[in-house]
């Protein structure tokens, strides 16, 4: 029996104007303005169709709500056939599409604000949205270069700004604490705060476990984690200041830490991960756009809500 619910990931990206990225100047047109213009000019789904190589990308649903827009893009290859498994023959067969239809080749649902976008991928990636805008933007009267965007993870976010604005819920340090790693850290001035902290903690553990009466053991695969957490129930402002000071100190490190902010953002050496997993009612292998949009709008409000005083 098929499951009635399915888990989907809502992923947040930044939309950067290719012109602004190339020139280093501010964008002349936001992705929200570009999408609104396209869908003002082209009303019907059959008109909102872009061709990207052999694939067609079509906007099947469009809605505006609370200053953002939602798009439901579908992808298909016109007149493409699919393989089927016949039960009364040895060989696989190809099945042509029904009349006046094509086989679905993926979907992409998106909530679009001025710069931030929340995606829900169902077989199509965010490049399909860029293809849609690049193809239809000039036809709607937009400049070709203005109607082209880059989608980036939140790696370009200023980590210190996130720490200041959100506050810090916890910091996790992790690293290897075997003898060779400790020797490397002790002898290398380039080893950062995280490495020195792990080595210091491992030294304390060895002293507590073995004291001076037993030989200190070396375990090649042992991993040490240090976890600092701010207790919102009893923590004071000075406690938050102290954990923020630690977070700011290690935010520039290139490995071995994860910061969780009070708003739920995760800051790692490589990324600021802004994802959310939601449960949705299943419709065959898909989900309903309106259900996804409600979840995306809720998530968007969570991300943009002012922090608690």
């Amino acid at each position: 029996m098929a499951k009635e619910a399915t888990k989907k990931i809502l992923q947040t990206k930044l939309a950067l104007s290719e012109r602004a990225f190339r020139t280093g100047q501010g964008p002349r047109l936001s992705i929200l303005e570009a999408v609104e213009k396209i869908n003002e000019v082209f009303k019907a789904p059959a008109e909102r169709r872009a061709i990207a190589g052999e694939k067609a990308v079509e906007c099947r649903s469009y809605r505006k709500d609370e200053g953002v827009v939602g798009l439901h893009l579908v992808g298909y290859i016109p007149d493409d056939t699919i393989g089927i498994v016949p039960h009364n023959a040895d060989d696989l067969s190809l099945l042509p599409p029904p009349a006046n239809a094509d086989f679905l080749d993926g979907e992409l649902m998106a909530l679009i604000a001025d710069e931030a976008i929340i995606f829900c991928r169902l077989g199509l990636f965010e490049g399909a949205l860029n293809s849609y805008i690049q193809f239809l933007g000039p036809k709607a009267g937009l400049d070709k270069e203005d109607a082209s965007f880059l989608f980036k993870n939140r790696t370009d976010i200023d980590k210190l700004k996130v720490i200041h604005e959100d506050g810090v819920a916890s910091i996790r340090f992790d690293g290897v604490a075997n003898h060779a790693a400790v020797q490397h850290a002790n002898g290398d001035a380039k080893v950062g705060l995280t490495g020195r902290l792990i080595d210091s903690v491992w030294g304390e553990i060895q002293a507590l476990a073995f004291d001076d009466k037993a030989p200190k053991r070396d375990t090649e695969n042992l991993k040490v984690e240090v976890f600092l957490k701010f207790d919102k129930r009893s923590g004071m402002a000075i406690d938050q200041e102290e954990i923020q000071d630690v977070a700011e100190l290690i935010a520039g490190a290139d490995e071995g830490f994860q910061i969780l902010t009070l708003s739920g953002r995760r800051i790692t050496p490589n990324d600021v991960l802004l994802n959310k997993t939601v449960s949705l009612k299943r419709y065959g292998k898909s989900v309903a756009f309106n259900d996804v949009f409600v979840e995306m709008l809720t998530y968007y409000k969570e991300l943009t809500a002012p922090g608690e005083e």
Side-chain angles (χ1 to χ4, degrees):
M1 182 176 178
K3 294 181 180 179
E4 294 185 357
T6 184
K7 300 286 187 182
K8 295 297 178 185
I9 296 176
L10 307 182
Q11 184 173 19
T12 305
K13 296 270 189 176
L14 287 176
L16 305 177
S17 162
E18 283 201 8
R19 179 192 294 277
F21 188 77
R22 177 180 59 80
T23 63
Q25 300 176 350
R28 301 195 308 187
L29 187 74
S30 72
I31 191 168
L32 176 61
E33 292 169 326
V35 170
E36 287 179 328
K37 180 62 175 178
I38 289 170
N39 287 275
E40 286 173 5
V41 175
F42 303 108
K43 304 291 187 182
E47 297 176 330
R48 301 194 300 245
R49 180 184 299 134
I51 303 300
E54 63 176 4
K55 182 174 290 187
V57 177
E58 191 172 294
C59 178
R60 301 295 296 187
S61 296
Y62 171 77
R63 58 181 290 183
K64 300 177 68 173
D65 199 343
E66 300 189 39
V68 299
V69 301
L71 285 183
H72 177 199
L73 301 180
V74 301
Y76 60 90
I77 300 174
D79 302 320
D80 194 26
T81 57
I82 61 170
I84 62 171
V85 182
H87 297 303
N88 57 355
D90 293 333
D91 297 329
L92 301 180
S93 299
L94 293 175
L95 182 70
N100 300 315
D102 282 293
F103 291 120
L104 184 65
D105 195 41
E107 300 170 83
L108 181 73
M109 301 177 187
L111 178 148
I112 301 171
D114 281 329
E115 290 184 345
I117 303 179
I118 300 176
F119 288 109
C120 181
R121 299 170 177 166
L122 295 96
L124 279 186
F125 289 86
E126 49 268 24
L129 174 57
N130 200 31
S131 296
Y132 176 76
I133 298 172
Q134 284 180 325
F135 187 87
L136 292 177
K139 297 178 184 294
L142 302 179
D143 178 85
K144 181 179 181 181
E145 196 172 13
D146 286 335
S148 185
F149 294 87
L150 304 169
F151 301 114
K152 298 291 185 180
N153 289 328
R154 303 304 291 261
T155 51
D156 294 330
I157 284 183
D158 184 339
K159 294 176 184 178
L160 295 182
K161 182 179 179 182
V162 173
I163 291 168
H164 284 174
E165 291 181 349
D166 288 12
V168 177
S170 65
I171 307 172
R172 192 190 77 202
F173 306 87
D174 60 74
V176 177
N178 60 43
H179 180 68
V182 172
Q183 279 193 328
H184 170 69
N186 289 336
D188 190 346
K190 294 181 180 179
V191 174
L193 172 66
T194 301
R196 295 198 302 272
L197 177 61
I198 293 297
D199 299 333
S200 175
V201 171
W202 177 232
E204 295 292 334
I205 292 172
Q206 284 185 312
L208 288 171
F210 305 118
D211 60 48
D212 295 330
K213 300 177 182 178
K216 294 179 175 61
R217 303 171 187 173
D218 183 43
T219 306
E220 286 297 321
N221 296 318
L222 186 64
K223 182 178 181 181
V224 175
E225 291 188 358
V226 181
F227 193 73
L228 305 179
K229 185 174 182 180
F230 175 71
D231 189 344
K232 289 192 291 185
R233 295 171 299 177
S234 57
M236 300 175 64
I238 191 170
D239 300 322
Q240 177 60 210
E241 290 175 5
E242 289 178 352
I243 197 170
Q244 281 194 31
D245 287 343
V246 175
E248 291 169 16
L249 190 60
I250 62 125
D254 58 2
E255 61 180 354
F257 76 87
Q258 182 182 100
I259 300 169
L260 178 66
T261 72
L262 290 173
S263 68
R265 300 187 187 188
R266 294 186 186 276
I267 303 174
T268 69
N270 299 319
D271 210 347
V272 179
L273 301 177
L274 288 176
N275 299 331
K276 182 180 181 181
T277 301
V278 296
S279 181
L280 297 160
K281 184 177 180 180
R282 182 192 296 271
Y283 289 92
K285 294 184 177 181
S286 186
V287 291
F289 168 65
N290 284 336
D291 292 348
V292 175
F293 185 78
V294 168
E295 293 288 350
M296 291 193 293
L297 187 57
T298 299
Y299 184 35
Y300 178 72
K301 290 178 180 178
E302 293 171 2
L303 293 175
T304 56
E308 295 182 6
E309 296 294 335

